[in-house]
Amino acid sequence: YLALVAPSKSTTTQTPTNSAPAFTPSYPLPAAIQIWAFATSTDTDHAGHIDQSRPPELVLTVCTDWGAVKHLKWCPVPRHLRDDEVRGKVSIGLLAGIWGDGQLRILDVQIDKVHSSLTSYGMPPPNYNVYNLTNASLKVKYQGAAFAARPPNTVCTCLTWLSAVDIAVGCANGFVAIWNIFDGNQSSSPLNDDDDILPTAQSLVPVPWFFLQIHQTYVLAMAAAYPAHPHLLATSSMDGYMRLTDLRAPSTDFVLTNRSRIGATVIDYCEALQAMVSTEENDFVRIYPLRRFFSSISVGRADALITSLTVGKVHPTILVGSADGAVIATNPMRKVLNGKAQQYQQTWFEHEWTRKGEGVSRILDGFKVETVNMARTLVGDKRIKDGSVYATIYEEETGVTQVVWNPNLHCGGWAAAGLGSGLVRVEDLAL
């Protein structure tokens, strides 16, 4: 299953007057999350491959009015069989997200165990609002979530799962909050002191068991060293630093990297290397080993601003999406084991978009493996023209918005890439 954020038809960003949109919750705006199902075919080695004879199927659309969807992440732990599955419902997992109103919400996504081959909308739980569409199908509008929370006087910016029950979020004021989603501890303190921004702020909210300022300002990205070291949390901020914090002693047991001029917007954890993977100056891909987080090793390089990054959960291959529409794959094992080894990388595909007509996309693939120079030198740099270094500004629709590996063991070679033009490419790269 693949969760996608459908584009909103609303073009206005309704935020309170004289406020910064990144630091202020937005008014309730409609948003939709689509759940797509992909059929699998199993070969003799018990590996799952995409069944090319069956097209992807839209099995569920989740509609909300909490603002635009900023971030989504599935719980990494599978669910056990429950009574509702016996009654014909299947819970495909807990989906955590951050919406435009600044709140963290966790949805228990359920679909019909047997669904038709036509694109349709699934049945919601009893406490959700349901209304019929013109084609007699059902549309799910969530009026509430299985879990919802927001720290006081700030908004959530990023999230990561620490375990099946613990989830961490970064905040716009530099704080990190961690909740236990099954803990019944609640407080009547308001979410925000300004009633003009959030009129329904006075309500019971879950209390985090961890709430500490670990950065000076906006937290951009975070990742936990799950499952080997779930107590280690890596975060990056607009202050230019990446920080690895031991949640068992956060005030004393932490380490910072060298300050970067541009804050890293992506972080992921590589279990095979016991290291965090992130970017530096937004074009180099670097790994930060947990045992010496203060230093890093360059393992890849893009030709444009890196917008998304993911590491395989069953293999160490790194996928990097950039603003020029290219998705690059590289295996860092060679460089990590031998620092003098030549590093190789390969472009999965390149996406181009033009304004011609209503917009035209072109996707190029079939690129060969190439070596990459990790030295900080301008010799051979593609961005040099007439002796000057140029930074290209690409169309928003050209860039890669998100890349992700399939975390399941039998489908670990599947990769999905979302593009600014609205296209999504899903392919089994293990073939």
Side-chain angles (χ1 to χ4, degrees):
Y1 297 97
L2 178 66
L4 303 176
V5 178
S8 176
K9 296 182 180 180
S10 176
T11 58
T12 60
T13 55
Q14 300 180 12
T15 55
T17 307
N18 300 326
S19 62
F23 295 85
T24 308
S26 67
Y27 285 116
L29 297 174
I33 302 173
Q34 298 178 351
I35 307 297
W36 289 81
F38 293 82
T40 60
S41 59
T42 305
D43 54 14
T44 56
D45 60 357
H46 302 288
H49 302 293
I50 299 178
D51 190 350
Q52 301 291 343
S53 62
R54 298 174 58 184
E57 181 183 350
L58 178 61
V59 296
L60 180 68
T61 299
V62 177
C63 301
T64 63
D65 54 2
W66 304 321
V69 182
K70 303 293 186 181
H71 198 75
L72 287 178
K73 187 165 290 188
W74 290 101
C75 178
V77 182
R79 305 292 303 277
H80 291 291
L81 182 67
R82 300 186 301 178
D83 294 338
D84 52 1
E85 300 184 12
V86 179
R87 296 193 298 266
K89 289 293 181 179
V90 177
S91 176
I92 61 176
L94 297 177
L95 183 61
I98 295 175
W99 275 259
D101 60 0
Q103 289 200 43
L104 162 72
R105 291 181 176 88
I106 300 177
L107 308 178
D108 184 7
V109 181
Q110 300 181 18
I111 64 173
D112 292 330
K113 183 177 295 186
V114 179
H115 43 77
S116 63
S117 59
L118 299 177
T119 299
S120 60
Y121 295 93
M123 289 290 295
N127 59 332
Y128 295 144
N129 183 23
V130 183
Y131 52 94
N132 292 324
L133 297 177
T134 56
N135 59 358
S137 60
L138 292 176
K139 184 176 182 180
V140 181
K141 182 177 181 181
Y142 279 64
Q143 301 286 8
F147 179 86
R150 180 161 69 87
N153 303 313
T154 187
V155 295
C156 300
T157 59
C158 54
L159 67 90
T160 187
W161 288 89
L162 303 180
S163 66
V165 296
D166 293 310
I167 188 169
V169 299
C171 303
N173 57 1
F175 278 75
V176 168
I178 304 176
W179 285 273
N180 185 302
I181 62 177
F182 291 114
D183 189 2
N185 187 15
Q186 293 183 339
S187 171
S188 59
S189 59
L191 294 175
N192 199 305
D193 294 336
D194 191 349
D195 291 337
D196 294 334
I197 296 179
L198 192 60
T200 60
Q202 297 289 345
S203 60
L204 292 178
V205 294
V207 177
W209 61 264
F210 180 92
F211 189 60
L212 182 68
Q213 184 177 12
I214 62 176
H215 286 285
Q216 298 178 6
T217 184
Y218 202 96
V219 180
L220 292 170
M222 64 192 330
Y226 176 87
H229 310 284
H231 57 279
L232 297 180
L233 182 65
T235 54
S236 67
S237 172
M238 282 298 296
D239 58 15
Y241 290 101
M242 282 184 57
R243 169 171 166 159
L244 183 67
T245 306
D246 191 335
L247 299 177
R248 298 171 298 184
S251 300
T252 57
D253 196 356
F254 67 91
V255 60
L256 296 172
T257 62
N258 294 329
R259 188 180 183 277
S260 175
R261 292 178 298 176
I262 305 175
T265 59
V266 289
I267 304 177
D268 204 356
Y269 174 67
C270 182
E271 177 71 16
L273 298 177
Q274 297 286 291
M276 294 292 175
V277 183
S278 186
T279 62
E280 186 181 47
E281 304 300 340
N282 283 338
D283 58 350
F284 281 91
V285 180
R286 303 181 71 90
I287 65 170
Y288 298 82
L290 298 180
R291 294 182 63 88
R292 50 185 184 90
F293 193 76
F294 52 85
S295 64
S296 60
I297 304 173
S298 296
V299 296
R301 189 175 185 179
D303 294 330
L305 177 75
I306 295 177
T307 56
S308 181
L309 180 148
T310 182
V311 182
K313 302 306 181 232
V314 296
H315 53 78
T317 305
I318 302 172
L319 277 182
V320 174
S322 55
D324 61 352
V327 179
I328 300 171
T330 182
N331 191 326
M333 293 295 293
R334 177 191 297 267
K335 191 67 175 179
V336 172
L337 298 178
N338 183 4
K340 296 183 179 180
Q342 188 69 261
Q343 182 65 14
Y344 297 89
Q345 66 184 31
Q346 183 178 13
T347 300
W348 175 16
F349 69 89
E350 284 188 357
H351 170 253
E352 299 177 0
W353 184 88
T354 178
R355 295 176 179 267
K356 183 178 180 180
E358 296 182 358
V360 179
S361 292
R362 179 175 66 175
I363 296 180
L364 307 175
D365 52 13
F367 294 87
K368 66 178 182 180
V369 179
E370 58 183 355
T371 60
V372 56
N373 183 14
M374 299 299 174
R376 289 190 173 277
T377 176
L378 298 180
V379 178
D381 198 317
K382 301 178 182 178
R383 297 170 295 180
I384 296 181
K385 185 177 181 180
D386 298 333
S388 301
V389 179
Y390 289 86
T392 305
I393 299 177
Y394 298 90
E395 295 280 1
E396 181 180 1
E397 291 81 359
T398 296
V400 180
T401 57
Q402 187 69 33
V403 291
V404 63
W405 284 106
N406 192 320
N408 299 293
L409 179 61
H410 64 289
C411 302
W414 297 19
L419 308 175
S421 61
L423 298 176
V424 178
R425 178 166 178 168
V426 181
E427 186 176 344
D428 187 356
L429 300 182
L431 293 176

